[in-house]
Amino acid sequence: MNEQNYFCEGTDKAPQRSLFNALGMTKDEMRRPLVGIVSSYNEIVPGHMNIDKLVEAVKLGVAMAGGTPAVFPAIAVCDGIAMGHDGMRYSLVTRDLIADSTECMALAHHFDALVMIPNCDKNVPGLLMAAARVNVPTIFVSGGPMLAGRVKGSKTSLSSMFEAVGAYTAGKIDKDEFEEYENKVCPTCGSCSGMYTANSMNCLTEVLGMGLRGNGTIPAVYSERIRLAKRAGMQVMELWRKNIRPLDIMTYDAFMNALTVDMALGCSTNSMLHLPAIAHECGIEINLDIANEISAKTPNLCHLAPAGHAYMEDLNEAGGVYAVMNELNKKGLIRTDCMTVTGKTVAENIAGAKNKDTNIIRPIDEPYSETGGIAVLRGNLAKDGCVVKRSAVAPEMLCHTGPAKVFDCEEDAQAAILGGKIVKGDVVVIRYEGPKGGPGMREMLNPTSAIMGMGLGSDVALITDGRFSGASRGASIGHVSPEAAVGGVIGIVRDGDMISVNIPEYKLELLVDDEEIARRMADFTPKKKKLHGYLKRYAALVTSGAQGAILKDE
């Protein structure tokens, strides 16, 4: 390819060059490939407050390698700050705003290549969706994970704080200990330190081949991340010269690798929303049944928080994502001929990657379980499927039958849990929180954490047509589809109905006879919410959680 950008020659491009003059560009800069740096920096999201430093490093790398960098922004919502109130309705919906706005900026200004700098939950999938649409040479470098906090000599994370709310309410910890959690669980900038959604998606970006080694695991505060950003800036120029584009990298086989590593790492259930949505933009269909097929043959090798007591910094020291992939490859579970942003194949990338700590990354022959970390359940209560992070469920809750306690919103459920109205054996049902019904499919971290904090994690299940934070643990079953708002069976469940959860057999059943279900469905009119603004448009266009909550194309 020519070492110049689209605007550098021709009298017809003189108006554009005059505007580049207004930017202070020299003629030399105008001749070089124009590289868009998509920065999700802001001052409200802890995972993004360091991104300005990474932007400068990327710009330097691009310039050193012969490109002209130009920065433009992407929005970001902090799920933790948005949690538990109406603000959470605006989290998932930003994924599509980010994809749309980045597509607009990239194509309107005819960038030759892009460097995406996301970090938290929706920025990563939103920018991957945009990368597929724009399809110019693109590389990702994330802001990196937070270091774990420490309370009383033990590592902690944000999920510990949410659970401490329940523990304090139940009188299990005193005020001093509660405040110690508040002050210590989030000690640095970065995406929260467990295998939550942000870190899950940053790791899977590595697996997809769109980020360099360490993208998902190098802590935000390490200088190594600045070096990674410089290398990413330099490497995007190599991608441009070789004309390697996102759709050359994000192939069907690459998504199968992502699902496989997802199962081994025990990633957030939100990956079951985001991977199908990204694949859709690549012209690839991923359905929930594929997840179970891959899970059935993929061992779970990692128990990072909230499933265990290891954190992203530990995974990084143990060898990171490449070490996990290399373990999986010992049994032929990785498709190794996929191209990546390194300009090399997966096989070349992971060759020699060592598992440096078998307590963090279990050897392939000594897994936590022979099956993967996520399971998709079906049954009369979820005909189109629902999702559970199986690796974070207590063994005694893998099979559970109990009476329903039904709530039409998260706030009512949270009040009942903290008010002592949920008892051992119950199945908490939270509905009208799906993509359309919420709208926006709110995360239920407050209720799941309250259940755990109050000591009910081995006795109570929670099901919802909403979703969960990656920080949730326990028998937390989300994405129930069809959702209540579109007439799903979850909408006709009544207090006291018995519900059966059987994760090993992938089943979720309402134990009410078919005739009674048919009678209730005949009389059922879903509740409607009065909406305005973006949420009204979103609710009109969004599809089911089983389809990745993508927006209708028509």
Side-chain angles (χ1 to χ4, degrees), residues 74-400:
I75 62 169
V77 165
C78 177
D79 279 24
I81 295 173
M83 198 72 66
H85 57 90
D86 276 351
M88 179 47 70
R89 303 190 197 284
Y90 288 89
S91 172
L92 179 61
V93 305
T94 66
R95 184 184 72 184
D96 296 275
L97 280 174
I98 291 160
D100 292 348
S101 59
T102 303
E103 173 193 354
C104 291
M105 286 291 291
L107 294 179
H109 299 99
H110 212 292
F111 285 104
D112 297 293
L114 296 169
V115 181
M116 308 292 200
I117 314 181
N119 207 27
C120 290
D121 297 29
K122 310 310 168 303
N123 293 80
V124 185
L127 290 178
L128 283 165
M129 290 163 68
R133 291 182 196 174
V134 177
N135 199 35
V136 298
T138 301
I139 196 167
F140 278 65
V141 56
S142 79
M146 184 183 292
L147 293 179
R150 283 171 172 77
V151 175
K152 294 186 175 179
S154 297
K155 290 183 178 180
T156 62
S157 60
L158 182 65
S159 55
S160 305
M161 183 70 253
F162 277 92
E163 291 178 16
V165 174
Y168 180 63
T169 302
K172 295 179 180 293
I173 61 174
D174 62 22
K175 184 178 180 181
D176 288 344
E177 187 172 353
F178 182 73
E179 289 182 350
E180 186 176 7
Y181 274 98
E182 185 175 338
N183 291 325
K184 292 184 176 180
V185 296
C186 295
T188 73
C189 64
S191 48
C192 296
S193 55
M195 187 54 78
Y196 309 152
T197 306
N199 292 325
S200 295
M201 293 310 303
N202 282 322
C203 287
L204 295 182
T205 298
E206 258 189 81
V207 182
L208 281 170
M210 292 297 293
L212 298 176
R213 182 175 187 173
N215 180 68
T217 60
I218 297 170
V221 295
Y222 283 12
S223 297
E224 186 181 357
R225 182 148 298 267
I226 295 174
R227 296 196 296 272
L228 178 71
K230 290 176 184 175
R231 290 197 298 272
M234 297 176 74
Q235 185 59 28
V236 78
M237 296 307 300
E238 281 301 303
L239 296 174
W240 183 82
R241 291 183 182 103
K242 294 177 179 177
N243 197 25
I244 298 174
R245 299 171 182 249
L247 294 185
D248 300 323
I249 294 170
M250 291 193 287
T251 62
Y252 179 83
D253 282 352
F255 281 100
M256 294 305 100
N257 282 343
L259 284 167
T260 299
V261 178
D262 187 329
M263 298 302 170
L265 284 173
C267 289
S268 165
T269 52
N270 283 312
S271 63
M272 292 297 103
L273 286 175
H274 300 321
L275 287 175
I278 300 161
H280 176 74
E281 298 292 349
C282 298
I284 296 165
E285 181 182 351
I286 293 178
N287 59 45
L288 293 183
D289 293 323
I290 293 174
N292 276 349
E293 291 172 16
I294 291 177
S295 180
K297 60 185 180 183
T298 306
N300 178 226
L301 303 181
C302 299
H303 267 193
L304 287 90
H309 300 290
Y311 295 84
M312 295 305 296
E313 62 199 68
D314 302 313
L315 179 60
N316 188 61
E317 294 301 319
V321 173
Y322 279 16
V324 175
M325 294 176 75
N326 215 19
E327 284 290 344
L328 294 169
N329 197 41
K330 291 175 182 178
K331 288 198 172 180
L333 297 174
I334 295 294
R335 303 179 189 208
T336 58
D337 58 350
C338 300
M339 178 51 61
T340 73
V341 292
T342 66
K344 300 177 181 178
T345 64
V346 168
E348 292 173 295
N349 287 344
I350 67 174
K354 294 180 180 179
N355 181 354
K356 300 175 183 177
D357 189 340
T358 56
N359 292 315
I360 304 300
I361 305 171
R362 289 279 185 92
I364 192 72
D365 293 321
E366 301 175 34
Y368 283 102
S369 66
E370 294 293 339
T371 52
I374 288 177
V376 174
L377 316 184
R378 291 184 186 270
N380 64 359
L381 195 47
K383 292 181 180 178
D384 293 340
C386 58
V387 180
V388 61
K389 190 170 183 175
R390 171 169 47 191
S391 60
V393 178
E396 57 269 31
M397 287 298 293
L398 291 171
C399 296
H400 177 78

